[in-house]
Amino acid sequence: MDKGYIENGFIVDLSHAKKTSEIIYELSRVLEMPESKGKCICLKLGGVNISQNELTSIKTLVELMESELSFISTSSAQTLDAATALDIKISEFTTEIEAPVFNSENSPEIESALDNIFGEGDNDSHVANTKAEEQDGIKIAQQEEEYHQDEVLNSEVDEETEKLQKEPETLPTLYIRRTLRSGQSISSDGNITVIGDVNPGAEIIAKGDVTVWGVLSGIAHAGSDGNNFARIRALKLNPVQIRIGEIFARRPDTVNIPYIQKTSEFTPEEAYTSNGNIIIKKIHNEN
Protein backbone atom coordinates (compact mmCIF):
# COMPACT_ATOMS: atom_id res chain seq x y z
CA MET A 1 0.00 0.00 0.00
CA ASP A 2 1.33 3.41 -0.92
CA LYS A 3 1.11 5.85 1.97
CA GLY A 4 -2.18 7.67 1.57
CA TYR A 5 -3.87 5.14 -0.69
CA ILE A 6 -5.14 1.58 -0.50
CA GLU A 7 -6.42 -0.20 -3.59
CA ASN A 8 -10.18 -0.72 -3.34
CA GLY A 9 -10.09 1.14 -0.03
CA PHE A 10 -12.86 3.00 1.75
CA ILE A 11 -11.94 5.48 4.50
CA VAL A 12 -14.31 5.75 7.47
CA ASP A 13 -13.49 8.53 9.94
CA LEU A 14 -14.87 7.69 13.39
CA SER A 15 -12.33 9.71 15.35
CA HIS A 16 -15.12 11.92 16.71
CA ALA A 17 -16.72 8.99 18.58
CA LYS A 18 -16.47 9.04 22.38
CA LYS A 19 -17.06 5.35 23.08
CA THR A 20 -17.15 1.95 21.40
CA SER A 21 -20.94 1.86 21.08
CA GLU A 22 -20.86 5.06 19.03
CA ILE A 23 -18.17 3.57 16.78
CA ILE A 24 -20.25 0.45 16.11
CA TYR A 25 -23.41 2.49 15.52
CA GLU A 26 -21.78 4.92 13.08
CA LEU A 27 -19.82 2.17 11.32
CA SER A 28 -22.92 0.04 10.73
CA ARG A 29 -24.65 3.00 9.08
CA VAL A 30 -21.71 3.69 6.78
CA LEU A 31 -21.39 0.02 5.85
CA GLU A 32 -25.01 0.01 4.71
CA MET A 33 -24.06 2.35 1.87
CA PRO A 34 -23.87 0.45 -1.43
CA GLU A 35 -20.50 1.97 -2.33
CA SER A 36 -18.84 0.48 0.78
CA LYS A 37 -19.65 -3.13 -0.17
CA GLY A 38 -16.68 -5.32 -0.97
CA LYS A 39 -14.18 -2.62 0.00
CA CYS A 40 -11.08 -2.64 2.18
CA ILE A 41 -12.23 -0.56 5.14
CA CYS A 42 -9.76 1.90 6.69
CA LEU A 43 -10.98 2.99 10.14
CA LYS A 44 -9.86 6.18 11.86
CA LEU A 45 -10.63 5.50 15.53
CA GLY A 46 -9.10 8.47 17.33
CA GLY A 47 -8.28 8.02 21.01
CA VAL A 48 -11.08 5.69 22.13
CA ASN A 49 -9.80 2.71 24.15
CA ILE A 50 -11.05 -0.48 22.50
CA SER A 51 -10.50 -3.93 23.97
CA GLN A 52 -9.56 -6.98 21.94
CA ASN A 53 -13.09 -8.39 22.25
CA GLU A 54 -14.61 -5.09 21.12
CA LEU A 55 -12.27 -4.85 18.17
CA THR A 56 -13.14 -8.43 17.26
CA SER A 57 -16.82 -7.41 17.23
CA ILE A 58 -16.00 -4.45 14.97
CA LYS A 59 -14.04 -6.70 12.61
CA THR A 60 -16.92 -9.20 12.53
CA LEU A 61 -19.41 -6.43 11.77
CA VAL A 62 -17.33 -5.28 8.80
CA GLU A 63 -17.13 -8.81 7.44
CA LEU A 64 -20.86 -9.40 7.90
CA MET A 65 -21.48 -6.28 5.81
CA GLU A 66 -19.50 -7.82 2.92
CA SER A 67 -16.36 -5.75 3.45
CA GLU A 68 -12.91 -6.28 4.95
CA LEU A 69 -11.18 -4.46 7.82
CA SER A 70 -7.73 -3.71 6.39
CA PHE A 71 -6.27 -0.88 8.45
CA ILE A 72 -7.00 1.17 11.54
CA SER A 73 -5.58 4.47 12.74
CA THR A 74 -5.57 5.08 16.50
CA SER A 75 -3.87 7.18 19.15
CA SER A 76 -4.89 4.75 21.92
CA ALA A 77 -2.24 2.36 23.25
CA GLN A 78 -4.94 -0.10 24.32
CA THR A 79 -6.52 -0.15 20.85
CA LEU A 80 -3.07 -0.50 19.31
CA ASP A 81 -2.33 -3.55 21.48
CA ALA A 82 -5.72 -5.09 20.58
CA ALA A 83 -5.11 -4.57 16.86
CA THR A 84 -1.63 -6.07 17.12
CA ALA A 85 -3.02 -9.15 18.88
CA LEU A 86 -5.63 -9.58 16.13
CA ASP A 87 -3.03 -9.02 13.38
CA ILE A 88 -4.87 -5.91 12.12
CA LYS A 89 -2.55 -3.47 10.36
CA ILE A 90 -1.99 -0.01 11.81
CA SER A 91 -1.68 2.92 9.44
CA GLU A 92 -2.28 6.64 9.26
CA PHE A 93 -3.23 6.17 5.58
CA THR A 94 -2.91 9.89 4.96
CA THR A 95 -0.50 11.75 2.74
CA GLU A 96 0.92 14.99 4.11
CA ILE A 97 1.48 17.18 1.08
CA GLU A 98 3.45 20.36 1.52
CA ALA A 99 1.38 23.06 -0.12
CA PRO A 100 3.37 25.11 -2.64
CA VAL A 101 3.84 28.84 -2.29
CA PHE A 102 0.78 30.37 -3.87
CA ASN A 103 1.38 32.04 -7.19
CA SER A 104 -1.72 33.32 -8.95
CA GLU A 105 0.13 33.42 -12.28
CA ASN A 106 0.44 29.63 -12.29
CA SER A 107 -3.25 28.90 -12.74
CA PRO A 108 -5.10 32.06 -13.85
CA GLU A 109 -7.70 30.09 -15.81
CA ILE A 110 -8.56 27.98 -12.77
CA GLU A 111 -8.79 30.96 -10.45
CA SER A 112 -10.94 32.87 -12.90
CA ALA A 113 -13.28 29.93 -13.38
CA LEU A 114 -13.57 29.36 -9.64
CA ASP A 115 -14.26 33.05 -9.04
CA ASN A 116 -17.05 32.94 -11.62
CA ILE A 117 -18.60 29.82 -10.08
CA PHE A 118 -18.15 30.43 -6.36
CA GLY A 119 -19.04 33.84 -4.96
CA GLU A 120 -21.35 35.78 -2.75
CA GLY A 121 -25.12 35.67 -2.79
CA ASP A 122 -28.30 35.47 -0.73
CA ASN A 123 -29.81 32.08 -1.40
CA ASP A 124 -31.55 29.06 0.09
CA SER A 125 -29.76 27.36 2.98
CA HIS A 126 -30.14 24.20 5.02
CA VAL A 127 -28.86 23.39 8.48
CA ALA A 128 -26.87 20.28 9.41
CA ASN A 129 -27.53 19.48 13.07
CA THR A 130 -24.14 18.55 14.52
CA LYS A 131 -24.75 17.72 18.18
CA ALA A 132 -22.72 14.60 18.91
CA GLU A 133 -25.29 13.15 21.31
CA GLU A 134 -28.00 13.02 18.64
CA GLN A 135 -28.10 9.69 16.85
CA ASP A 136 -30.40 10.76 14.05
CA GLY A 137 -27.60 12.08 11.84
CA ILE A 138 -27.74 15.36 10.03
CA LYS A 139 -31.17 16.92 10.21
CA ILE A 140 -31.38 19.03 7.11
CA ALA A 141 -34.13 21.61 7.06
CA GLN A 142 -34.80 24.11 4.35
CA GLN A 143 -35.06 27.63 5.72
CA GLU A 144 -35.32 31.15 4.41
CA GLU A 145 -32.79 33.52 5.90
CA GLU A 146 -30.75 36.45 4.81
CA TYR A 147 -27.13 35.34 4.52
CA HIS A 148 -24.49 37.68 5.94
CA GLN A 149 -20.87 37.41 4.88
CA ASP A 150 -19.79 38.01 8.48
CA GLU A 151 -21.70 36.04 11.10
CA VAL A 152 -20.62 38.51 13.77
CA LEU A 153 -21.02 42.28 13.41
CA ASN A 154 -17.72 43.96 12.66
CA SER A 155 -17.99 46.01 15.82
CA GLU A 156 -18.10 42.82 17.89
CA VAL A 157 -15.33 40.93 16.14
CA ASP A 158 -12.20 40.69 18.26
CA GLU A 159 -8.74 40.48 16.78
CA GLU A 160 -8.47 36.69 17.18
CA THR A 161 -11.80 36.08 15.46
CA GLU A 162 -10.89 38.38 12.59
CA LYS A 163 -7.56 36.59 12.22
CA LEU A 164 -9.30 33.20 11.99
CA GLN A 165 -11.83 34.51 9.47
CA LYS A 166 -9.07 35.78 7.18
CA GLU A 167 -6.66 32.88 7.72
CA PRO A 168 -7.61 30.91 4.56
CA GLU A 169 -6.85 34.01 2.46
CA THR A 170 -3.25 34.01 3.71
CA LEU A 171 -2.61 30.29 3.18
CA PRO A 172 -1.10 28.73 0.04
CA THR A 173 -3.42 26.64 -2.15
CA LEU A 174 -2.78 23.13 -3.37
CA TYR A 175 -4.42 22.35 -6.76
CA ILE A 176 -5.25 18.72 -7.50
CA ARG A 177 -6.32 18.16 -11.10
CA ARG A 178 -7.90 14.73 -10.88
CA THR A 179 -10.79 12.86 -9.29
CA LEU A 180 -10.02 11.37 -5.88
CA ARG A 181 -11.00 7.72 -5.80
CA SER A 182 -12.22 5.65 -2.86
CA GLY A 183 -9.31 4.98 -0.50
CA GLN A 184 -7.34 8.11 -1.35
CA SER A 185 -6.57 10.70 1.33
CA ILE A 186 -5.06 14.14 0.72
CA SER A 187 -4.08 16.62 3.42
CA SER A 188 -2.41 20.02 3.34
CA ASP A 189 -1.38 22.85 5.65
CA GLY A 190 -3.05 25.27 3.24
CA ASN A 191 -6.23 25.38 1.16
CA ILE A 192 -7.09 22.50 -1.18
CA THR A 193 -8.81 22.87 -4.56
CA VAL A 194 -9.77 19.70 -6.43
CA ILE A 195 -10.53 19.97 -10.14
CA GLY A 196 -12.64 16.81 -10.31
CA ASP A 197 -14.88 14.76 -8.04
CA VAL A 198 -14.22 13.40 -4.56
CA ASN A 199 -15.73 9.92 -4.55
CA PRO A 200 -17.26 8.16 -1.50
CA GLY A 201 -14.49 6.64 0.61
CA ALA A 202 -11.98 9.39 -0.31
CA GLU A 203 -10.86 12.10 2.10
CA ILE A 204 -9.65 15.71 1.98
CA ILE A 205 -8.16 17.47 5.01
CA ALA A 206 -7.11 21.12 4.79
CA LYS A 207 -5.96 23.69 7.32
CA GLY A 208 -7.81 26.27 5.27
CA ASP A 209 -10.73 26.03 2.84
CA VAL A 210 -11.73 23.04 0.70
CA THR A 211 -13.04 23.71 -2.80
CA VAL A 212 -14.17 20.93 -5.15
CA TRP A 213 -14.87 21.75 -8.78
CA GLY A 214 -17.08 18.70 -9.05
CA VAL A 215 -19.21 16.47 -6.79
CA LEU A 216 -18.03 16.09 -3.19
CA SER A 217 -19.25 12.68 -2.02
CA GLY A 218 -16.48 11.62 0.37
CA ILE A 219 -15.09 13.06 3.60
CA ALA A 220 -14.09 16.72 3.76
CA HIS A 221 -12.46 18.49 6.71
CA ALA A 222 -11.71 22.21 6.45
CA GLY A 223 -10.05 24.16 9.24
CA SER A 224 -8.27 21.02 10.45
CA ASP A 225 -6.33 22.98 13.07
CA GLY A 226 -9.60 24.00 14.75
CA ASN A 227 -10.59 27.04 12.66
CA ASN A 228 -14.41 27.04 12.62
CA PHE A 229 -14.41 29.92 10.12
CA ALA A 230 -13.04 27.77 7.28
CA ARG A 231 -15.41 26.82 4.44
CA ILE A 232 -16.15 23.93 2.12
CA ARG A 233 -17.42 24.54 -1.42
CA ALA A 234 -18.40 22.25 -4.27
CA LEU A 235 -20.52 22.19 -7.40
CA LYS A 236 -22.57 19.61 -5.47
CA LEU A 237 -22.25 18.76 -1.77
CA ASN A 238 -23.20 15.14 -1.07
CA PRO A 239 -20.59 14.18 1.55
CA VAL A 240 -20.58 11.02 3.62
CA GLN A 241 -19.09 13.19 6.35
CA ILE A 242 -18.18 16.84 6.70
CA ARG A 243 -16.15 18.76 9.28
CA ILE A 244 -15.34 22.41 9.71
CA GLY A 245 -12.94 23.07 12.55
CA GLU A 246 -14.25 21.10 15.51
CA ILE A 247 -17.82 20.80 14.21
CA PHE A 248 -18.89 17.49 12.70
CA ALA A 249 -21.88 16.36 10.64
CA ARG A 250 -22.76 13.48 8.37
CA ARG A 251 -25.25 12.47 5.70
CA PRO A 252 -28.75 11.93 7.13
CA ASP A 253 -30.49 8.57 7.16
CA THR A 254 -33.05 9.76 4.65
CA VAL A 255 -30.42 10.52 2.03
CA ASN A 256 -29.06 7.48 0.19
CA ILE A 257 -27.60 8.93 -2.98
CA PRO A 258 -24.10 7.51 -3.30
CA TYR A 259 -23.59 9.03 -6.75
CA ILE A 260 -24.97 12.18 -8.32
CA GLN A 261 -26.00 12.28 -11.95
CA LYS A 262 -23.70 14.65 -13.83
CA THR A 263 -25.45 17.70 -15.20
CA SER A 264 -24.60 21.13 -16.55
CA GLU A 265 -27.17 22.69 -14.20
CA PHE A 266 -25.37 22.31 -10.86
CA THR A 267 -25.77 25.26 -8.50
CA PRO A 268 -22.58 25.56 -6.41
CA GLU A 269 -22.96 25.09 -2.66
CA GLU A 270 -20.96 26.28 0.33
CA ALA A 271 -20.78 24.94 3.89
CA TYR A 272 -19.91 27.16 6.86
CA THR A 273 -20.57 27.16 10.60
CA SER A 274 -23.04 29.16 12.64
CA ASN A 275 -24.01 28.70 16.30
CA GLY A 276 -22.49 25.24 16.49
CA ASN A 277 -24.17 24.00 13.32
CA ILE A 278 -22.98 23.50 9.77
CA ILE A 279 -25.00 25.56 7.30
CA ILE A 280 -25.10 24.59 3.62
CA LYS A 281 -26.20 27.31 1.23
CA LYS A 282 -26.53 27.59 -2.52
CA ILE A 283 -24.55 30.35 -4.20
CA HIS A 284 -25.10 32.10 -7.50
CA ASN A 285 -28.65 30.80 -7.56
CA GLU A 286 -30.63 32.61 -10.21
CA ASN A 287 -34.15 33.67 -9.29
Side-chain angles (χ1 to χ4, degrees):
M1 173 186 126
D2 293 332
K3 186 179 173 89
Y5 175 67
I6 176 172
E7 189 68 31
N8 199 36
F10 194 93
I11 298 171
V12 182
D13 187 355
L14 302 176
S15 58
H16 62 281
K18 305 298 183 183
K19 52 188 178 181
T20 306
S21 59
E22 290 182 12
I23 290 175
I24 294 176
Y25 176 82
E26 296 284 349
L27 178 59
S28 63
R29 293 158 62 91
V30 173
L31 292 176
E32 289 176 352
M33 298 170 56
E35 61 267 43
S36 71
K37 302 298 183 183
K39 295 294 180 66
C40 298
I41 303 299
C42 305
L43 287 182
K44 303 181 74 172
L45 297 175
V48 177
N49 292 323
I50 301 176
S51 68
Q52 185 172 333
N53 287 338
E54 290 172 331
L55 192 54
T56 298
S57 297
I58 291 173
K59 184 173 183 292
T60 301
L61 171 62
V62 172
E63 293 171 350
L64 288 174
M65 300 299 285
E66 303 176 20
S67 298
E68 175 187 353
L69 181 57
S70 296
F71 293 87
I72 69 167
S73 172
T74 178
S75 59
S76 164
Q78 178 179 330
T79 305
L80 178 62
D81 291 341
T84 301
L86 295 173
D87 198 26
I88 298 174
K89 295 181 180 179
I90 308 295
S91 175
E92 291 299 328
F93 46 81
T94 58
T95 301
E96 294 294 338
I97 298 179
E98 182 179 355
V101 176
F102 181 76
N103 184 348
S104 60
E105 295 181 357
N106 289 337
S107 303
E109 72 285 357
I110 293 178
E111 289 189 59
S112 176
L114 291 173
D115 287 342
N116 288 334
I117 293 175
F118 300 105
E120 309 305 326
D122 298 335
N123 301 291
D124 294 338
S125 304
H126 53 276
V127 179
N129 189 322
T130 56
K131 294 182 179 179
E133 65 273 14
E134 291 191 21
Q135 297 297 329
D136 292 334
I138 303 174
K139 296 180 180 178
I140 297 180
Q142 297 295 329
Q143 66 176 25
E144 294 182 357
E145 67 174 17
E146 182 178 359
Y147 172 70
H148 298 279
Q149 175 65 26
D150 297 320
E151 293 299 328
V152 184
L153 294 177
N154 291 333
S155 60
E156 300 176 354
V157 177
D158 56 32
E159 292 183 0
E160 183 62 24
T161 299
E162 185 174 7
K163 178 181 178 181
L164 290 173
Q165 288 176 328
K166 294 182 177 180
E167 182 182 54
E169 299 177 11
T170 66
L171 295 174
T173 298
L174 172 65
Y175 285 100
I176 301 171
R177 306 189 191 203
R178 68 176 184 273
T179 289
L180 296 185
R181 294 185 293 159
S182 177
Q184 291 182 308
S185 178
I186 300 295
S187 60
S188 172
D189 285 336
N191 305 302
I192 294 180
T193 295
V194 177
I195 311 301
D197 297 334
V198 178
N199 290 342
E203 179 184 55
I204 301 178
I205 304 172
K207 182 178 179 180
D209 292 346
V210 171
T211 300
V212 178
W213 196 356
V215 179
L216 172 55
S217 298
I219 298 171
H221 187 180
S224 60
D225 63 343
N227 186 354
N228 291 344
F229 292 98
R231 304 202 173 207
I232 297 174
R233 309 175 186 89
L235 294 185
K236 180 63 180 179
L237 283 170
N238 184 45
V240 172
Q241 186 182 107
I242 191 172
R243 288 190 185 190
I244 299 179
E246 300 173 350
I247 302 176
F248 159 82
R250 59 175 168 77
R251 184 188 296 169
D253 293 344
T254 55
V255 178
N256 185 18
I257 311 175
Y259 296 102
I260 299 293
Q261 183 68 38
K262 292 296 183 65
T263 173
S264 60
E265 299 180 355
F266 279 147
T267 300
E269 298 173 304
E270 180 179 65
Y272 63 99
T273 64
S274 177
N275 298 323
N277 293 315
I278 291 181
I279 308 295
I280 299 176
K281 73 181 184 73
K282 295 184 182 297
I283 49 183
H284 281 185
N285 188 21
E286 296 182 0
N287 294 327

